Amino acid sequence: MRKLFAPAFLLAVLAAGYAFFQRFEIEGLENLVVTPRAPASGTSDVLPAERESESIRIATWNIQVFGQSKLAQPGVMEIIVDVARRFDVLAIQEVRSKQQDVLPRLVEMINADGSHYDYVIGERLGRTSSKEQYAYVYDAASVEVDRATLYTIGDPNDQLHREPLVASFRVRGPPVEQAFTFTLVNIHTDPDEVKYEVDALDDVMRAVRDDGRGEDDILMLGDLNADERSLGELGRLPDLAAVVVGEPTNTRRTKTYDNILYFQRATTEFTGYRGVLDLEREYQLTLDQALEVSDHLPVWAAFSIYEGGQVGRVAAQPERPAR
């Protein structure tokens, strides 16, 4: 792996770190009760930068076993940092560390160039001693998160190994009444139980859609461990579409695991621009070097900064799937 860090950047990495952990509670899959929480990190309000584009890029990435070992590899971390800076919002799966400094240190590295990124993170989840967390890293100059509605989906029947983390965002820049708002549902299914878990995720989408806030743009994104043809009951939701169709998303380029799902009629803000970031090609790595970063590739899609896809357009409501 190439050694890409400048000395000053490495010094900032070594000096970084503070502990943070926050828990979230939510009751039931069908009758969500959201409990407001304190902010997941202490960033002050950031004024939006003057926009060069009328779109934002939302991405998802399973950063395989993202913990202390990767934080200690400067070359790996420089690539992770560079990937994060490419997107306005990055949903992360597989944060795996008992120490709660992984996201604070990542964000400090990202902001070493003067950026204004922030994060929110969920609780440690899993049925075994190996727990994982979901997180969202976002550019606070271009989007803001509604921290009061950050929650982990409840799963009273234990259908999901790692219950999704839900967060709602709004684009900065346009007038509030015109700004694109959206809710993200971050998921990492269990590869050994994916057939059963995707059959429960349609209930998750309904629960988030019907949580009383009236948000029409709901995106489920993450490591589904299944391609767009193998989503069971989730895939049968009316009007549901996948950003990635027939393209590998693992680093070995053999399987489609990761995706961004959205309702086509509601999310007219989707511009049609999307991609899978090939780590080998983009960073001139060998396969082994790319696998040191992650065994998954980042998946992204671009969305208009305006609600409804253009100024003055009325947002659509998603078709109500039959129960």
Side-chain angles (χ1 to χ4, degrees), residues 23-89:
R23 300 192 62 85
F24 309 90
E25 294 184 358
I26 190 77
E27 297 290 338
L29 277 175
E30 302 225 356
N31 296 297
L32 297 180
V33 180
V34 179
T35 303
R37 301 297 180 182
S41 56
T43 297
S44 59
D45 289 340
V46 178
L47 293 176
E50 186 173 345
R51 288 192 172 278
E52 297 179 358
S53 171
E54 293 198 339
S55 66
I56 62 166
R57 300 212 296 180
I58 299 172
T60 177
W61 193 14
N62 180 335
I63 309 179
Q64 180 190 20
V65 193
F66 187 28
Q68 302 304 315
S69 177
K70 282 200 166 114
L71 287 172
Q73 299 179 66
V76 168
M77 287 307 302
E78 182 154 354
I79 291 173
I80 293 173
V81 165
D82 186 74
V83 169
R85 287 183 183 143
R86 292 168 179 250
F87 305 113
D88 297 273
V89 184

Side-chain angles (χ1 to χ4, degrees), residues 236-314:
R236 290 192 285 274
L237 286 174
D239 204 41
L240 191 73
V243 162
V244 176
V245 177
E247 184 175 356
T249 66
N250 66 333
T251 303
R252 290 184 172 87
R253 308 292 285 183
T254 58
K255 300 288 184 180
T256 302
Y257 289 139
D258 311 88
N259 225 316
I260 301 174
L261 307 177
Y262 66 100
F263 291 108
Q264 296 179 88
R265 183 176 301 178
T267 307
T268 55
E269 295 85 356
F270 178 44
T271 65
Y273 290 101
R274 34 72 65 206
V276 179
L277 187 63
D278 188 327
L279 299 177
E280 282 187 78
R281 181 181 304 148
E282 190 69 24
Y283 296 100
Q284 300 180 346
L285 306 175
T286 66
L287 176 59
D288 287 342
Q289 288 173 329
L291 288 169
E292 287 182 40
V293 180
S294 179
D295 59 352
H296 289 255
L297 302 175
V299 170
W300 62 270
F303 299 83
S304 170
I305 64 174
Y306 296 105
E307 188 69 25
Q310 62 189 49
V311 178
R313 184 169 180 175
V314 177

Side-chain angles (χ1 to χ4, degrees), residues 34-260:
V34 179
T35 303
R37 301 297 180 182
S41 56
T43 297
S44 59
D45 289 340
V46 178
L47 293 176
E50 186 173 345
R51 288 192 172 278
E52 297 179 358
S53 171
E54 293 198 339
S55 66
I56 62 166
R57 300 212 296 180
I58 299 172
T60 177
W61 193 14
N62 180 335
I63 309 179
Q64 180 190 20
V65 193
F66 187 28
Q68 302 304 315
S69 177
K70 282 200 166 114
L71 287 172
Q73 299 179 66
V76 168
M77 287 307 302
E78 182 154 354
I79 291 173
I80 293 173
V81 165
D82 186 74
V83 169
R85 287 183 183 143
R86 292 168 179 250
F87 305 113
D88 297 273
V89 184
L90 174 62
I92 298 174
Q93 302 89 48
E94 215 165 301
V95 179
R96 195 183 297 178
S97 176
K98 291 182 179 180
Q99 297 171 245
Q100 292 303 302
D101 64 343
V102 176
L103 265 295
R105 291 174 65 183
L106 170 62
V107 168
E108 184 161 346
M109 294 179 209
I110 295 170
N111 290 339
D113 70 345
S115 297
H116 296 285
Y117 279 77
D118 204 346
Y119 75 97
V120 288
I121 191 167
E123 60 186 287
R124 299 180 70 226
L125 301 168
R127 299 186 183 124
T128 68
S129 59
S130 180
K131 308 292 186 185
E132 297 180 13
Q133 289 170 279
Y134 299 111
Y136 296 100
V137 171
Y138 63 96
D139 185 352
S142 63
V143 297
E144 56 186 331
V145 66
D146 184 354
R147 297 176 185 276
T149 60
L150 181 73
Y151 62 87
T152 295
I153 289 287
D155 183 14
N157 297 320
D158 196 25
Q159 299 178 78
L160 301 170
H161 193 74
R162 292 169 286 264
E163 298 86 349
L165 180 66
V166 180
S168 296
F169 296 84
R170 180 171 61 196
V171 171
R172 292 181 183 266
V176 170
E177 66 277 6
Q178 297 179 17
F180 176 40
T181 64
F182 54 96
T183 294
L184 301 182
V185 183
N186 196 346
I187 180 65
H188 180 197
T189 65
D190 188 296
D192 296 325
E193 300 178 17
V194 61
K195 181 179 183 298
Y196 306 102
E197 293 200 1
V198 294
D199 281 343
L201 291 177
D202 62 322
D203 291 329
V204 171
M205 288 290 271
R206 292 189 186 98
V208 175
R209 180 200 65 198
D210 298 336
D211 67 1
R213 295 183 303 107
E215 177 57 70
D216 66 315
D217 298 308
I218 301 164
L219 287 67
M220 178 173 282
L221 72 177
D223 177 6
L224 293 158
N225 278 299
D227 63 31
E228 74 283 356
R229 300 164 298 176
S230 308
L231 296 178
E233 293 182 18
L234 171 63
R236 290 192 285 274
L237 286 174
D239 204 41
L240 191 73
V243 162
V244 176
V245 177
E247 184 175 356
T249 66
N250 66 333
T251 303
R252 290 184 172 87
R253 308 292 285 183
T254 58
K255 300 288 184 180
T256 302
Y257 289 139
D258 311 88
N259 225 316
I260 301 174

